[in-house]
Amino acid sequence: MTALSTESQGENQDTRLIPLSALQHFAFCPRQCALIHNEQAWAENYLTAQGKALHERVDSGEPETRKGVRFERAVHVSAEKLGISGVLDLVEVETKTGRLKPVEYKRGKPKPDPMDEIQLCAEGLCLEEMTGQTVSEGALWYMQTRHRVPITFSDDLRAQTLATIAAVRELLNSGQTPPPDYGKRCKACSLVEICQPELLGKRDRSVGYVAGFYTINN
């Protein structure tokens, strides 16, 4: 456990602390988020296996200092006010200023939507709550491109992250699983066999059609 680590508090008054990973799952697909965090469903595929191996390599490294930057790995964070907690892949600490920068490692490549940025920004918000200092930026490192992408925690990204936290909290507290919304992303999801989005999506549309038919004709 590193110098920045804290123990998870388990409960935040009337609600559990939301895992940071749930934010990325929700931004990818609310149904996937509910399946994993409400129904405790999980399945591995070659993509998740690659991601797991990558994080194990990153998290296993020892803290070290190079060129005025200390690298803290597998940093446990818990933000009671925000109601989120998790383990950060890497936190870079400038030795002269103490300035913090979270770095998240991802298996694939940069995505068109901001799911990775939201998770990273939430990591920054956790560090802010824990330390009292402003965390203005972080970075995403992608294994497929072997490229590091700097991310500024702008007002817009912060607002989007806070909105995602609120939406995930509402979803998890509801205990409900949204209906499937079949799309291209489903092909990369390890839960596709459990979710069955193509089959159940068609079934849901059929139920809606039948209900609408009887409403019109009554």
Side-chain angles (χ1 to χ4, degrees):
M1 187 173 293
T2 69
L4 289 171
S5 304
T6 65
E7 293 184 0
S8 172
Q9 300 298 315
E11 294 283 333
N12 180 23
Q13 296 179 351
D14 296 329
T15 186
R16 57 181 168 170
L17 292 177
I18 297 170
L20 286 168
S21 60
L23 305 180
Q24 199 270 350
H25 294 149
F26 182 89
F28 176 76
C29 172
R31 179 173 171 83
Q32 184 201 65
C33 181
L35 287 171
I36 294 172
H37 299 282
N38 277 345
E39 300 189 20
Q40 305 301 306
W42 182 250
E44 290 276 7
N45 64 9
Y46 75 98
L47 297 177
T48 59
Q50 286 181 345
K52 182 179 179 180
L54 171 64
H55 284 89
E56 287 177 348
R57 289 200 303 272
V58 175
D59 294 346
S60 64
E62 294 295 326
E64 59 179 314
T65 300
R66 297 196 308 268
K67 297 181 179 180
V69 177
R70 187 171 78 253
F71 300 90
E72 298 277 359
R73 305 177 189 278
V75 178
H76 292 250
V77 293
S78 177
E80 293 293 313
K81 293 179 181 178
L82 290 171
I84 55 180
S85 67
V87 181
L88 313 191
D89 289 338
L90 179 71
V91 177
E92 296 179 354
V93 187
E94 291 187 3
T95 55
K96 287 186 178 181
T97 64
R99 189 167 62 179
L100 305 174
K101 179 186 294 185
V103 180
E104 179 69 18
Y105 284 72
K106 294 296 182 183
R107 180 208 62 81
K109 59 184 179 180
K111 304 172 181 63
D113 43 41
M115 65 182 72
D116 294 340
E117 287 85 347
I118 287 171
Q119 180 183 352
L120 182 69
C121 184
E123 295 178 2
L125 294 177
C126 281
L127 293 172
E128 286 185 342
E129 183 174 320
M130 291 174 62
T131 66
Q133 68 169 277
T134 299
V135 179
S136 59
E137 62 180 339
L140 294 164
W141 188 90
Y142 290 94
M143 184 177 73
Q144 185 171 334
T145 60
R146 305 194 68 81
H147 184 63
R148 176 171 167 142
V149 181
I151 302 296
T152 300
F153 300 148
S154 65
D155 290 341
D156 287 344
L157 180 56
R158 288 170 180 266
Q160 194 170 8
T161 301
L162 293 174
T164 301
I165 293 171
V168 172
R169 180 176 295 111
E170 182 178 356
L171 175 67
L172 298 188
N173 287 342
S174 75
Q176 302 298 311
T177 300
D181 180 18
Y182 184 68
K184 291 182 179 179
R185 68 182 183 278
C186 297
K187 296 179 181 179
C189 180
S190 66
L191 300 182
V192 65
E193 294 299 325
I194 297 172
C195 176
Q196 297 187 338
E198 191 170 13
L199 175 62
L200 295 181
K202 290 178 179 179
R203 183 181 300 171
D204 286 346
R205 288 192 291 271
S206 298
V207 170
Y209 172 79
V210 172
F213 176 82
Y214 281 107
T215 300
I216 294 172
N217 289 276
N218 284 333

